[in-house]
Amino acid sequence: MVVDDEDSVRKLLSAVLKREGYQVVCAESGEEALRKFRALPPDLIIMDIRMPNIDGITAFKELRKLSQNVTVILMTAYAAVETAVEAIKLGAFDYVIKPFDIEEVKLLTNRAIQLQKMTEKIFDLNQQLIDSYRLDKIITNSPKMRELCQNIAKIAQSNATVLITGESGTGKELIANTIHYNSRRNSGPFIKINCGALPESLLDSELFGHEKGAFTGAVMRRPGRFEQADHGTLLLDEIGEISPNLQVKLLRVLQEREFERVGGNTTIKTDIRVLAATNRNLAEMVKQGRFRQDLYYRLNVVSLSAPPLRERREDIELLAGYFLQKFTAENEKEIMDFDPDVVKLLENYNWPGNVRELANVVERAVIMSTGSRIFPEDLPDNLRYSSESDLISTLGLEKISGKTLKEMIKKTECLLIKEALQRNHGNKVKTAKELGVSRRSILYKIQEYELE
Ligand SMILES: Nc1ncnc2c1ncn2[C@@H]1O[C@H](COP(=O)(O)OP(=O)(O)OP(=O)(O)O)[C@@H](O)[C@H]1O
Ligand SMILES: [Mg+2]
């Protein structure tokens, strides 16, 4: 939209921009511009500042009220450049000085439109991210996880610091993402840092940034993660690994929301929400004097704990199915399902590496598989042939833990006999022979355990 009270300017710009391939509407006053904008907002407005009644600056401010993202290039006489500069501070895209060079206007127009397209694209991509971290995208069947999801929904809207705990691979990072993308900060940045991956001095400057010359190699000023996360969320991953010195510095940012860059004196304010994750027991570390109690309390305003996979076995088949689909598509294979024995093996394994380990096992199986079904031989050895330490989980014994030794031995005996019977197709003589007991005692046990 070209806005100018001078007919000749409108005609000239309109002709030039039409030749560039744009559709152009004109307005001869601020009032008309506002009216036309309400009816059909254009992608770009090129507007004169000096016009009768409503001038360009006032019109620009009104437009901004109608749409925060309106893109405006202002035209001004040389004498009024200062007003144009003011307008840029208020969010105008740029200005040209009259009489203007037509090439310059073309260039500015193209650049403004390009920037707008990019902004739109970023917005769309961010919407996709927000969508991919919707709460219902967390795959689960378990009451524990459902409760966790409800808690995530409740706290996402707040600004509270959250401590996310859980064993390795349980989904702590997934939870952190879900919190950010369901919060009011979801169009702002989501910045992560792994506190366990860097030595103290490097972590210090990564977190807080540094000034030029702060240390050898600091050739330029560099903003740290706390600055990058302004208006967004910062995830401090593996917070349990942070050194005592940095714990002190961290406490201050969490309390005051301000800090200095390494080697600098200027105090920087930051508007962030902090999430922290760890697979350590921080309360225990506090007791041992390895983690500051005050910092622990600051981080632990709200805490979420991701349960290990072996405590929500109902999720195993569901997650395995999800990963099967995912990796089948990624590897362009046509695998439909798991052999029932595979499901049994997966469900009985104790998953020390939790969901990540399950994902890896399924990915491997998809790659190894040659047919349309995953069989036990596509699984890694440790799942197929459980070692003695895994016997408990293979037999599902942890489910009956807490009872007396006698009861647990009986349950084990029952399972072993049942398994041997099945393998021998119900042949009691064979089973008795294999297990090294008399036929009579097998018959007795079958009756006792109701295995008939
Ligand atoms: N409920 C779930 N639904 C779908 N994917 C999940 C689920 N839980 C975990 N995952 C996936 O499992 C993998 C491991 O999760 P994540 O990285 O969040 O674990 P973590 O707890 O941060 O592990 P670590 O302590 O090792 O850093 C990721 O690829 C994640 O997307
Ligand atoms: Mg993690």
Side-chain angles (χ1 to χ4, degrees), residues 138-139 167-174 279 319 322 355-356:
I138 293 183
I139 292 158
E167 287 177 16
S168 166
T170 45
K172 296 185 293 296
E173 196 169 328
L174 178 70
N279 53 20
L319 280 165
Y322 162 76
V355 185
R356 179 176 301 113

Side-chain angles (χ1 to χ4, degrees), residues 76-270:
T76 176
Y78 185 70
V81 162
E82 271 168 37
T83 9
V85 174
E86 280 305 309
I88 292 206
K89 283 185 194 155
L90 292 174
F93 180 74
D94 213 333
Y95 66 87
V96 285
I97 295 172
K98 275 180 166 179
F100 48 75
D101 171 10
I102 206 72
E103 288 305 316
E104 194 191 344
V105 177
K106 274 201 239 170
L107 201 75
L108 273 182
T109 303
N110 291 337
R111 217 188 285 147
I113 297 288
Q114 236 169 34
L115 184 74
Q116 223 171 33
K117 279 190 184 151
M118 248 152 67
T119 313
E120 260 165 41
K121 193 157 190 169
I122 290 170
F123 182 83
D124 286 348
L125 286 171
N126 199 54
Q127 286 306 117
Q128 280 177 33
L129 263 174
I130 291 172
D131 189 59
S132 71
Y133 284 110
R134 275 200 338 246
L135 267 159
D136 58 358
K137 298 270 164 100
I138 293 183
I139 292 158
T140 186
N141 244 340
S142 96
K144 269 188 192 174
M145 284 293 286
R146 291 245 174 78
E147 193 189 325
L148 181 74
C149 289
Q150 282 168 1
N151 288 335
I152 293 174
K154 275 187 227 156
I155 60 172
Q157 294 297 315
S158 80
N159 245 337
T161 304
V162 183
L163 180 64
I164 307 163
T165 59
E167 287 177 16
S168 166
T170 45
K172 296 185 293 296
E173 196 169 328
L174 178 70
I175 294 172
N177 275 286
T178 308
I179 294 175
H180 171 75
Y181 287 106
N182 285 282
S183 77
R184 272 176 269 139
R185 296 170 173 268
N186 64 6
S187 58
F190 180 49
I191 305 287
K192 303 170 202 182
I193 183 159
N194 183 341
C195 302
L198 296 171
E200 179 178 334
S201 61
L202 264 180
L203 182 60
D204 191 9
S205 84
E206 273 299 315
L207 283 172
F208 302 102
H210 59 70
E211 296 292 342
K212 184 177 171 178
F215 45 83
T216 328
V219 286
M220 276 197 316
R221 165 193 281 182
R222 189 156 177 261
R225 305 290 164 104
F226 275 99
E227 262 174 276
Q228 291 169 16
D230 200 18
H231 301 300
T233 306
L234 178 66
L235 168 61
L236 302 168
D237 209 356
E238 315 226 2
I239 189 81
E241 315 306 316
I242 205 161
S243 72
N245 282 331
L246 283 179
Q247 289 181 26
V248 179
K249 281 185 89 168
L250 210 57
L251 182 66
R252 179 172 163 233
V253 204
L254 291 180
Q255 271 170 348
E256 321 287 340
R257 303 282 151 172
E258 59 179 42
F259 62 93
E260 286 90 34
R261 296 191 192 102
V262 176
N265 303 315
T266 335
T267 300
I268 296 162
K269 293 225 172 255
T270 166

Side-chain angles (χ1 to χ4, degrees), residues 34 38 54 57-67:
L34 284 165
R38 282 198 195 91
I54 302 185
I57 300 286
T58 316
F60 168 63
K61 287 181 187 160
E62 287 300 314
L63 285 166
R64 284 277 292 205
K65 282 187 205 156
L66 293 175
S67 160

Side-chain angles (χ1 to χ4, degrees), residues 352-379:
N354 295 294
V355 185
R356 179 176 301 113
E357 188 183 10
L358 176 60
N360 291 344
V361 164
V362 175
E363 180 172 19
R364 184 199 124 111
V366 169
I367 292 166
M368 301 304 275
S369 161
T370 49
S372 65
R373 180 168 250 208
I374 304 279
F375 289 103
E377 51 267 35
D378 301 321
L379 298 180

Side-chain angles (χ1 to χ4, degrees), residues 1-4 8-22 24 44-48 71-76 93-114:
M1 182 194 290
V2 175
V3 190
D4 201 304
S8 58
V9 176
R10 288 200 305 274
K11 278 197 174 128
L12 172 68
L13 281 179
S14 169
V16 169
L17 293 175
K18 273 181 184 161
R19 224 178 301 132
E20 286 289 290
Y22 296 109
V24 186
L44 173 67
I45 299 168
I46 305 177
M47 181 159 62
D48 193 21
T71 312
V72 176
I73 296 172
L74 290 159
M75 297 181 281
T76 176
F93 180 74
D94 213 333
Y95 66 87
V96 285
I97 295 172
K98 275 180 166 179
F100 48 75
D101 171 10
I102 206 72
E103 288 305 316
E104 194 191 344
V105 177
K106 274 201 239 170
L107 201 75
L108 273 182
T109 303
N110 291 337
R111 217 188 285 147
I113 297 288
Q114 236 169 34

